[in-house]
Amino acid sequence: MNRLAVDLPGLKLKNPIMPASGCFGFGQRYAEFYDLDQLGAIIVKAATLEPRTGNPTPRVAETTSGMLNAIGLQNPGIEAIMTEKLPWLQQRYPALPVIANVAGSAEADYVEVCRQIGTAPNVKAIELNISCPNVAHGGLEFGTEPEAAYNLTKACKAVSQVPLYVKLSPNVTDIKVIARAVEAAGADGFTLINTLVGMQIDLKTRKPLLGNRTGGLSGPAIKSIAVRLINQVHHVSKLPIIGMGGVMNAADALELMMAGASAVAVGTANFSNPQACPDIINALPAAMDQYQIKDLPSLIDEMAVNPA
């Protein structure tokens, strides 16, 4: 038996580790470093209805124990993704489950992208990005208000041909309220957390380091917040969670799973170590032995009965 295997709605994973959206592109550059079939799944870069050039530069800045980014959902648009990016993955990695991240500026944009992208043969689930803090319109506007989150989730679920996971924002007063609204709208699962809004100033120039002024804080600095919010959502919903936020090694991944996640996405670690995901996958069995974990389904069941 594969002790790392996990089954989620739409996703039969040989292991629980996948790159987070926005930190891995569409896999093409990382495929130069290792066989992507080692991954449990891949969450590809956000897709919007029209191409986006993103925010002004500079877009990335290093921080203490992490990084700030304000990419602004730069992507080639749904047409190019459907005709170029997803077919590239399908041809080379037909067995690799793809989770498509969907973003937009208005509800109609989200709905149309969900309608199209769910028809790709290798897209097994959609990650509805209602929580991006780095765009002027959309994203966070939908993720911080329960009624807006409910309406958008319901509309996208109605046209999606694959299970719908909703990406929750940590930039809220009470994440449990948003989670309940999303579940009531028919979501199949959650992903969390997205980045936190942050800002850093260059003391010499007296100006923000990012061209967008603010950006999303990620990396080890936010892991404790991720653990807390994953556990809060786990307490109020039985929907599966793909957890993310500050994961750098196998122990971090197990900690998020003990908080309530069923699988784990790795983000910022990919920038400092292109082999981060396979390294974590390879280290998981020894880490599980260290903490007397027979297999991941038993850990997930244990945490469901005895929440952290």
Side-chain angles (χ1 to χ4, degrees):
M1 187 182 75
N2 179 7
R3 63 194 298 222
L4 299 185
V6 175
D7 285 350
L8 301 176
L11 301 166
K12 192 173 183 65
L13 308 177
K14 57 181 172 285
N15 66 69
I17 304 301
M18 62 194 76
S21 178
C23 302
F24 209 76
F26 294 92
Q28 291 160 311
R29 292 193 175 181
Y30 283 87
E32 298 174 8
F33 293 95
Y34 61 86
D35 181 0
L36 300 187
D37 274 329
Q38 295 179 61
L39 301 169
I42 175 174
I43 309 179
V44 293
K45 189 170 178 58
T48 55
L49 190 59
E50 303 295 336
R52 288 197 181 187
T53 57
N55 287 324
T57 57
R59 297 177 176 182
V60 177
E62 186 175 358
T63 70
T64 304
S65 298
M67 63 178 281
L68 285 171
N69 93 85
I71 304 301
L73 299 178
Q74 177 184 351
N75 76 98
I78 186 61
E79 182 177 353
I81 290 169
M82 292 292 289
T83 59
E84 300 172 19
K85 304 299 185 181
L86 293 175
W88 185 91
L89 283 166
Q90 173 68 19
Q91 181 181 4
R92 289 161 178 79
Y93 306 99
L96 179 62
V98 173
I99 303 173
N101 183 287
V102 171
S105 299
E107 182 177 300
D109 296 344
Y110 277 94
V111 170
E112 180 58 22
V113 175
C114 284
R115 185 189 67 77
Q116 292 189 42
I117 211 161
T119 65
N122 51 342
V123 170
K124 305 304 180 184
I126 289 172
E127 180 182 50
L128 194 66
N129 189 353
I130 66 169
S131 56
C132 182
N134 305 319
V135 291
H137 302 287
L140 200 59
E141 295 175 2
F142 292 105
T144 57
E145 205 283 315
E147 184 176 359
Y150 174 90
N151 291 337
L152 181 61
T153 301
K154 187 173 183 178
C156 291
K157 176 65 178 175
V159 301
S160 299
Q161 299 187 32
V162 294
L164 188 72
Y165 292 73
V166 179
K167 192 167 191 176
L168 301 184
S169 172
N171 301 296
V172 293
T173 302
D174 188 352
I175 199 169
K176 300 187 296 295
V177 174
I178 307 297
R180 290 191 187 102
V182 165
E183 181 175 18
D188 298 284
F190 303 106
T191 69
L192 67 146
I193 59 175
N194 209 328
T195 57
L196 292 97
V197 179
M199 179 178 172
Q200 197 147 329
I201 295 172
D202 185 321
L203 298 183
K204 293 181 180 179
T205 65
R206 275 74 160 169
K207 296 179 180 179
L209 288 178
L210 297 179
N212 193 59
R213 299 184 64 85
T214 63
L217 176 66
S218 63
I222 73 168
K223 190 190 76 171
S224 296
I225 299 171
V227 170
R228 174 178 68 89
L229 295 180
I230 288 168
N231 192 237
Q232 286 186 346
V233 172
H234 175 60
H235 274 287
V236 300
S237 174
K238 294 183 179 180
L239 294 183
I241 297 169
I242 299 174
M244 59 196 74
V247 174
M248 302 297 288
N249 51 49
D252 292 338
L254 289 177
E255 187 175 358
L256 263 61
M257 297 187 80
M258 289 181 182
S262 296
V264 174
V266 179
T268 300
N270 291 294
F271 297 126
S272 58
N273 174 19
Q275 299 271 357
C277 286
D279 284 353
I280 292 171
I281 293 165
N282 293 332
L284 269 175
M288 291 165 65
D289 289 342
Q290 181 180 354
Y291 296 104
Q292 295 83 52
I293 300 168
K294 177 184 176 184
D295 54 55
L296 294 181
S298 65
L299 174 63
I300 294 166
D301 291 342
E302 176 188 341
M303 301 317 297
V305 174
N306 303 301

